[in-house]
PDB file of all heavy atoms in Angstrom:
ATOM      1  N   ALA A  16      33.006 -37.465  57.956  1.00  0.00           N
ATOM      2  CA  ALA A  16      34.368 -37.836  58.325  1.00  0.00           C
ATOM      3  C   ALA A  16      34.605 -37.625  59.813  1.00  0.00           C
ATOM      4  O   ALA A  16      35.428 -38.312  60.410  1.00  0.00           O
ATOM      5  CB  ALA A  16      35.375 -37.035  57.513  1.00  0.00           C
ATOM      6  N   GLY A  17      33.878 -36.682  60.403  1.00  0.00           N
ATOM      7  CA  GLY A  17      34.078 -36.405  61.811  1.00  0.00           C
ATOM      8  C   GLY A  17      33.326 -37.337  62.726  1.00  0.00           C
ATOM      9  O   GLY A  17      33.685 -37.477  63.892  1.00  0.00           O
ATOM     10  N   CYS A  18      32.279 -37.985  62.232  1.00  0.00           N
ATOM     11  CA  CYS A  18      31.469 -38.847  63.105  1.00  0.00           C
ATOM     12  C   CYS A  18      31.585 -40.312  62.727  1.00  0.00           C
ATOM     13  O   CYS A  18      31.021 -41.177  63.387  1.00  0.00           O
ATOM     14  CB  CYS A  18      29.999 -38.414  63.049  1.00  0.00           C
ATOM     15  SG  CYS A  18      29.260 -38.547  61.417  1.00  0.00           S
ATOM     16  N   TRP A  19      32.308 -40.606  61.656  1.00  0.00           N
ATOM     17  CA  TRP A  19      32.390 -41.979  61.181  1.00  0.00           C
ATOM     18  C   TRP A  19      33.844 -42.411  61.217  1.00  0.00           C
ATOM     19  O   TRP A  19      34.686 -41.861  60.533  1.00  0.00           O
ATOM     20  CB  TRP A  19      31.831 -42.055  59.761  1.00  0.00           C
ATOM     21  CG  TRP A  19      32.211 -43.295  59.016  1.00  0.00           C
ATOM     22  CD1 TRP A  19      32.169 -44.577  59.447  1.00  0.00           C
ATOM     23  CD2 TRP A  19      32.686 -43.342  57.658  1.00  0.00           C
ATOM     24  NE1 TRP A  19      32.582 -45.408  58.456  1.00  0.00           N
ATOM     25  CE2 TRP A  19      32.905 -44.692  57.356  1.00  0.00           C
ATOM     26  CE3 TRP A  19      32.933 -42.375  56.692  1.00  0.00           C
ATOM     27  CZ2 TRP A  19      33.368 -45.108  56.113  1.00  0.00           C
ATOM     28  CZ3 TRP A  19      33.390 -42.774  55.467  1.00  0.00           C
ATOM     29  CH2 TRP A  19      33.596 -44.139  55.177  1.00  0.00           C
ATOM     30  N   GLN A  20      34.161 -43.354  62.055  1.00  0.00           N
ATOM     31  CA  GLN A  20      35.520 -43.850  62.178  1.00  0.00           C
ATOM     32  C   GLN A  20      35.598 -45.243  61.562  1.00  0.00           C
ATOM     33  O   GLN A  20      34.855 -46.147  61.933  1.00  0.00           O
ATOM     34  CB  GLN A  20      35.942 -43.914  63.656  1.00  0.00           C
ATOM     35  CG  GLN A  20      35.982 -42.537  64.308  1.00  0.00           C
ATOM     36  CD  GLN A  20      36.999 -41.623  63.664  1.00  0.00           C
ATOM     37  OE1 GLN A  20      38.080 -42.050  63.292  1.00  0.00           O
ATOM     38  NE2 GLN A  20      36.641 -40.350  63.535  1.00  0.00           N
ATOM     39  N   LEU A  21      36.499 -45.416  60.630  1.00  0.00           N
ATOM     40  CA  LEU A  21      36.670 -46.684  59.944  1.00  0.00           C
ATOM     41  C   LEU A  21      37.675 -47.534  60.700  1.00  0.00           C
ATOM     42  O   LEU A  21      38.805 -47.109  60.941  1.00  0.00           O
ATOM     43  CB  LEU A  21      37.173 -46.444  58.520  1.00  0.00           C
ATOM     44  CG  LEU A  21      37.534 -47.684  57.696  1.00  0.00           C
ATOM     45  CD1 LEU A  21      36.306 -48.561  57.540  1.00  0.00           C
ATOM     46  CD2 LEU A  21      38.088 -47.264  56.371  1.00  0.00           C
ATOM     47  N   ALA A  22      37.269 -48.730  61.084  1.00  0.00           N
ATOM     48  CA  ALA A  22      38.168 -49.652  61.769  1.00  0.00           C
ATOM     49  C   ALA A  22      38.711 -50.651  60.754  1.00  0.00           C
ATOM     50  O   ALA A  22      37.996 -51.536  60.291  1.00  0.00           O
ATOM     51  CB  ALA A  22      37.428 -50.385  62.889  1.00  0.00           C
ATOM     52  N   LEU A  23      39.969 -50.495  60.391  1.00  0.00           N
ATOM     53  CA  LEU A  23      40.591 -51.411  59.455  1.00  0.00           C
ATOM     54  C   LEU A  23      41.008 -52.687  60.186  1.00  0.00           C
ATOM     55  O   LEU A  23      41.354 -52.660  61.366  1.00  0.00           O
ATOM     56  CB  LEU A  23      41.825 -50.761  58.818  1.00  0.00           C
ATOM     57  CG  LEU A  23      41.531 -49.556  57.931  1.00  0.00           C
ATOM     58  CD1 LEU A  23      42.840 -48.919  57.482  1.00  0.00           C
ATOM     59  CD2 LEU A  23      40.721 -49.955  56.724  1.00  0.00           C
ATOM     60  N   PRO A  24      40.993 -53.838  59.512  1.00  0.00           N
ATOM     61  CA  PRO A  24      41.331 -55.089  60.178  1.00  0.00           C
ATOM     62  C   PRO A  24      42.811 -55.143  60.522  1.00  0.00           C
ATOM     63  O   PRO A  24      43.646 -54.567  59.836  1.00  0.00           O
ATOM     64  CB  PRO A  24      40.979 -56.146  59.126  1.00  0.00           C
ATOM     65  CG  PRO A  24      41.101 -55.430  57.819  1.00  0.00           C
ATOM     66  CD  PRO A  24      40.673 -54.027  58.102  1.00  0.00           C
ATOM     67  N   ALA A  25      43.119 -55.853  61.603  1.00  0.00           N
ATOM     68  CA  ALA A  25      44.515 -56.083  61.949  1.00  0.00           C
ATOM     69  C   ALA A  25      45.168 -56.971  60.899  1.00  0.00           C
ATOM     70  O   ALA A  25      44.514 -57.818  60.279  1.00  0.00           O
ATOM     71  CB  ALA A  25      44.602 -56.741  63.325  1.00  0.00           C
ATOM     72  N   SER A  26      46.473 -56.773  60.705  1.00  0.00           N
ATOM     73  CA  SER A  26      47.135 -57.526  59.643  1.00  0.00           C
ATOM     74  C   SER A  26      47.093 -59.025  59.889  1.00  0.00           C
ATOM     75  O   SER A  26      47.111 -59.815  58.955  1.00  0.00           O
ATOM     76  CB  SER A  26      48.593 -57.064  59.525  1.00  0.00           C
ATOM     77  OG  SER A  26      49.271 -57.273  60.751  1.00  0.00           O
ATOM     78  N   GLY A  27      47.015 -59.451  61.174  1.00  0.00           N
ATOM     79  CA  GLY A  27      46.971 -60.878  61.473  1.00  0.00           C
ATOM     80  C   GLY A  27      45.746 -61.564  60.914  1.00  0.00           C
ATOM     81  O   GLY A  27      45.748 -62.790  60.743  1.00  0.00           O
ATOM     82  N   GLN A  28      44.684 -60.818  60.639  1.00  0.00           N
ATOM     83  CA  GLN A  28      43.473 -61.439  60.117  1.00  0.00           C
ATOM     84  C   GLN A  28      43.702 -62.073  58.758  1.00  0.00           C
ATOM     85  O   GLN A  28      42.953 -62.943  58.345  1.00  0.00           O
ATOM     86  CB  GLN A  28      42.350 -60.420  60.050  1.00  0.00           C
ATOM     87  CG  GLN A  28      41.810 -60.021  61.417  1.00  0.00           C
ATOM     88  CD  GLN A  28      40.680 -59.018  61.305  1.00  0.00           C
ATOM     89  OE1 GLN A  28      40.610 -58.264  60.358  1.00  0.00           O
ATOM     90  NE2 GLN A  28      39.806 -58.996  62.291  1.00  0.00           N
ATOM     91  N   ALA A  29      44.739 -61.630  58.063  1.00  0.00           N
ATOM     92  CA  ALA A  29      44.998 -62.197  56.746  1.00  0.00           C
ATOM     93  C   ALA A  29      45.406 -63.654  56.841  1.00  0.00           C
ATOM     94  O   ALA A  29      45.356 -64.384  55.852  1.00  0.00           O
ATOM     95  CB  ALA A  29      46.098 -61.402  56.045  1.00  0.00           C
ATOM     96  N   LEU A  30      45.797 -64.103  58.043  1.00  0.00           N
ATOM     97  CA  LEU A  30      46.236 -65.479  58.213  1.00  0.00           C
ATOM     98  C   LEU A  30      45.106 -66.424  58.578  1.00  0.00           C
ATOM     99  O   LEU A  30      45.310 -67.624  58.659  1.00  0.00           O
ATOM    100  CB  LEU A  30      47.314 -65.540  59.302  1.00  0.00           C
ATOM    101  CG  LEU A  30      48.553 -64.674  59.044  1.00  0.00           C
ATOM    102  CD1 LEU A  30      49.500 -64.753  60.236  1.00  0.00           C
ATOM    103  CD2 LEU A  30      49.269 -65.120  57.772  1.00  0.00           C
ATOM    104  N   LEU A  31      43.906 -65.878  58.800  1.00  0.00           N
ATOM    105  CA  LEU A  31      42.775 -66.730  59.158  1.00  0.00           C
ATOM    106  C   LEU A  31      42.315 -67.534  57.957  1.00  0.00           C
ATOM    107  O   LEU A  31      42.516 -67.126  56.808  1.00  0.00           O
ATOM    108  CB  LEU A  31      41.617 -65.869  59.674  1.00  0.00           C
ATOM    109  CG  LEU A  31      41.877 -65.144  61.005  1.00  0.00           C
ATOM    110  CD1 LEU A  31      40.707 -64.236  61.332  1.00  0.00           C
ATOM    111  CD2 LEU A  31      42.121 -66.136  62.131  1.00  0.00           C
TER     112      LEU A  31
END
Side-chain angles (χ1 to χ4, degrees):
C18 62
W19 163 47
Q20 296 298 321
L21 174 61
L23 294 174
S26 59
Q28 289 181 333
L30 302 176
L31 294 175

